[in-house]
Amino acid sequence: MMQPPLFDNGIDSVEVFKGIRFPGFIHTQESLRAACSFQFQDTDVLLVTFPKSGTTWMQQVLSLVFCEGHLGSIHHVPNWERMPWLEQIFFGKLCSSLNPGQPRLLTSHLPAEALGPVLQHSKARVVYMARNPKDVLVSFYHFHKLVNFLPDPSSFEDFVDEFLKGTGFFGSWFEHVKGWLGLQQDLNMLFVTYEELYQEPRATLQKLGDFLGRPLGPEKEDSILEQCTFSFMSQSSGVNYSQVPTTVMDPSRGLFMRKGVMGDWKKHFSPEQNETFNAVYQAKMGNSGLQLPWTMD
Ligand code: A3P
């Protein structure tokens, strides 16, 4: 199969797919369509997130679980090669170079409607990771300022508006979470949150190990937990995005490993923004019957 040429599109180009905007720099119609017809194998593990929900953190956890706590030679292999994104232009090439002796570890930001149909034909394990949307919003706002393939937000206020309307890049957080949770009964899926990994890392790791059929034990758990801390990952070139060219991610404008905490939204939201956010959250999520594990204040 012919691989699409890498970085064929300009850094600020936009690809609209299923009504959602994606950065055209790393997505094309072909790469997005190909993801929707990807043939999963029962041994695949797919991590799905809305951007800024702790994707890279979970990629590090999953890589470590599957190498029994010893990253060894993959320590410096960037996360996008260890666990490539299904929908990105590099996917075909990266997927074919994944270690054939191991389950394929894959990542996606696509909404449930895009991947649900193909996933339902397989027993592939899906780990869905969610984060308090207020912290997602703040992290995404800073990420827009950091990377050149997303537009600079005009103001925090406008960014909040766009997030609540669900018209920003990668679509609506609300639809993303509801869509994937709606597939819980149909897929081999584990729902995990940033907050539980933050507050109860060992218990969350054990839950993941069990779900993945890789029970770990205290020694491996210690080793994994040590290599998943914010400080360890900040120093690790495999997961701190320092291998990205500065024309794409400019370190003078911030760091990918920014703060890594719960509740940073409190330093950004005005009382009015918080009130508006809570009202929209309640309207969109309140009657969904979903029990999501964060408080909104
Ligand atoms: P902040 O911008 O709030 O600091 P993603 O990988 O989905 O893009 O998510 C990035 C967010 O996850 C960033 O949030 C980043 O700091 C945080 N993160 C990454 N590794 C982490 C870790 N080991 N512990 C806590 N947060 C982490």
Side-chain angles (χ1 to χ4, degrees):
M1 196 180 81
M2 278 260 296
Q3 298 301 328
L6 298 188
F7 299 128
D8 213 19
N9 288 340
I11 193 146
D12 51 5
S13 65
V14 178
E15 208 63 72
V16 179
F17 185 70
K18 294 188 185 286
I20 295 174
R21 285 185 291 158
F22 292 88
F25 186 51
I26 45 177
H27 302 86
T28 58
Q29 290 297 318
E30 294 71 33
S31 73
L32 288 155
R33 266 200 304 269
C36 299
S37 54
F38 183 67
Q39 297 250 312
F40 285 95
Q41 298 170 1
D42 289 347
T43 49
D44 289 343
V45 176
L46 175 67
L47 167 64
V48 183
T49 58
F50 188 87
K52 314 317 291 175
S53 303
T55 324
T56 315
W57 192 10
M58 186 55 78
Q59 286 175 324
Q60 176 83 337
V61 173
L62 294 174
S63 311
L64 280 157
V65 168
F66 281 91
C67 65
E68 317 244 306
H70 301 289
L71 285 176
S73 60
I74 65 162
H75 184 79
H76 296 292
V77 175
N79 57 319
W80 61 85
E81 285 185 25
R82 289 188 207 162
M83 287 193 60
W85 270 261
L86 278 183
E87 62 273 21
Q88 293 185 357
I89 52 175
F90 335 89
F91 181 70
K93 189 160 178 273
L94 294 177
C95 185
S96 58
S97 20
L98 291 172
N99 186 345
Q102 283 273 8
R104 298 184 299 187
L105 305 185
L106 312 168
T107 307
S108 181
H109 289 320
L110 287 177
E113 58 163 305
L115 292 186
V118 268
L119 273 167
Q120 285 179 6
H121 298 299
S122 88
K123 297 192 185 72
R125 290 179 168 90
V126 179
V127 176
Y128 186 85
M129 187 175 193
R131 183 182 188 186
N132 183 330
K134 292 180 185 174
D135 284 331
V136 169
L137 185 157
V138 167
S139 181
F140 211 13
Y141 170 75
H142 288 286
F143 190 65
H144 273 66
K145 297 211 263 188
L146 172 66
V147 294
N148 288 330
F149 56 78
L150 290 170
D152 258 349
S154 42
S155 66
F156 184 68
E157 196 163 359
D158 289 347
F159 197 80
V160 173
D161 275 354
E162 193 174 66
F163 189 93
L164 292 177
K165 286 192 195 119
T167 51
F169 277 77
F170 297 90
S172 159
W173 178 90
F174 305 95
E175 298 311 318
H176 204 277
V177 173
K178 279 196 285 191
W180 280 101
L181 280 177
L183 288 179
Q184 230 171 351
Q185 304 308 322
D186 306 322
L187 303 181
N188 189 6
M189 180 160 122
L190 181 73
F191 178 76
V192 190
T193 60
Y194 180 101
E195 288 71 20
E196 65 182 304
L197 186 56
Y198 193 91
Q199 292 175 309
E200 296 184 343
R202 189 177 296 271
T204 309
L205 180 57
Q206 287 165 350
K207 189 164 84 168
L208 278 159
D210 291 344
F211 172 69
L212 298 165
R214 303 262 165 160
L216 297 162
E219 220 169 282
K220 282 180 205 154
E221 285 164 21
D222 286 345
S223 161
I224 295 174
L225 291 174
E226 196 185 309
Q227 296 169 79
C228 289
T229 61
F230 184 82
S231 59
F232 183 95
M233 286 180 57
S234 299
Q235 298 305 313
S236 169
S237 68
V239 281
N240 65 9
Y241 282 84
S242 57
Q243 298 186 52
V244 172
T246 53
T247 47
V248 177
M249 200 179 269
D250 182 351
S252 71
R253 302 175 71 183
L255 291 172
F256 177 87
M257 296 293 292
R258 195 183 60 91
K259 280 200 176 166
V261 295
M262 285 168 56
D264 190 40
W265 65 267
K266 292 177 188 168
K267 299 208 170 86
H268 290 74
F269 279 48
S270 68
E272 294 75 30
Q273 282 164 346
N274 193 32
E275 217 170 281
T276 310
F277 196 106
N278 287 347
V280 174
Y281 185 89
Q282 182 58 28
K284 291 190 190 278
M285 310 300 281
N287 298 327
S288 61
L290 301 173
Q291 292 294 321
L292 293 167
W294 41 70
T295 56
M296 297 305 284
D297 27 68

